[in-house]
Amino acid sequence: MAHTLKTNLLIALAIGFLISTAFMSIPSMRDGTSDWSGVEFPGMAAAYLFWGALSDSVFWGTVIGWAVNAVVYSLPAFVVFSVFTAMRSLQLR
C-alpha cells in the first residue's frame, strides 16, 4: 500500500507542477488585469510573505510561487488518485 501512495503522490506532484508551470508562464495573468489572476494566488501570497526574507529576489519569489502553486494544485489530484486506489484495492478483496 505504501508503494501505491508514493506513486500517487509523485504523479499528483507532476500534475501540480505542470499546472503551476502553465499558470506561471502566461504573462497576462501576472499583471492583475485578467479574470484568471486568482489562480496564482496561493503561490504569490507565499512569495510576498517570504520576499523580505530572501532579500527581494525576483527569481526566488517566482520559485517560491511556482513551488507553492504546484503543491496546492497537486493535492486534489492526490486525493482523487488515492480514492481510486482505495476503491480498486477493495474490489480485489
Side-chain angles (χ1 to χ4, degrees):
M1 185 71 173
H3 183 269
T4 57
L5 285 177
K6 183 178 178 182
T7 304
N8 288 347
L9 180 62
L10 290 175
I11 292 170
L13 282 173
I15 290 170
F17 279 120
L18 289 173
I19 292 170
S20 181
T21 301
F23 287 153
M24 296 293 283
S25 67
I26 300 172
S28 66
M29 293 172 66
R30 288 194 212 126
D31 65 1
T33 59
S34 174
D35 291 336
W36 290 88
S37 62
V39 297
E40 290 182 355
F41 182 72
M44 291 300 108
Y48 290 137
L49 180 65
F50 293 105
W51 206 318
L54 298 171
S55 70
D56 298 333
S57 171
V58 174
F59 173 76
W60 287 113
T62 304
V63 168
I64 288 172
W66 176 68
V68 169
N69 279 340
V71 171
V72 167
Y73 294 130
S74 67
L75 289 177
F78 178 69
V79 169
V80 168
F81 288 138
S82 296
V83 166
F84 283 138
T85 301
M87 289 173 51
R88 188 179 72 195
S89 69
L90 288 175
Q91 284 180 342
L92 295 176
R93 290 181 182 188

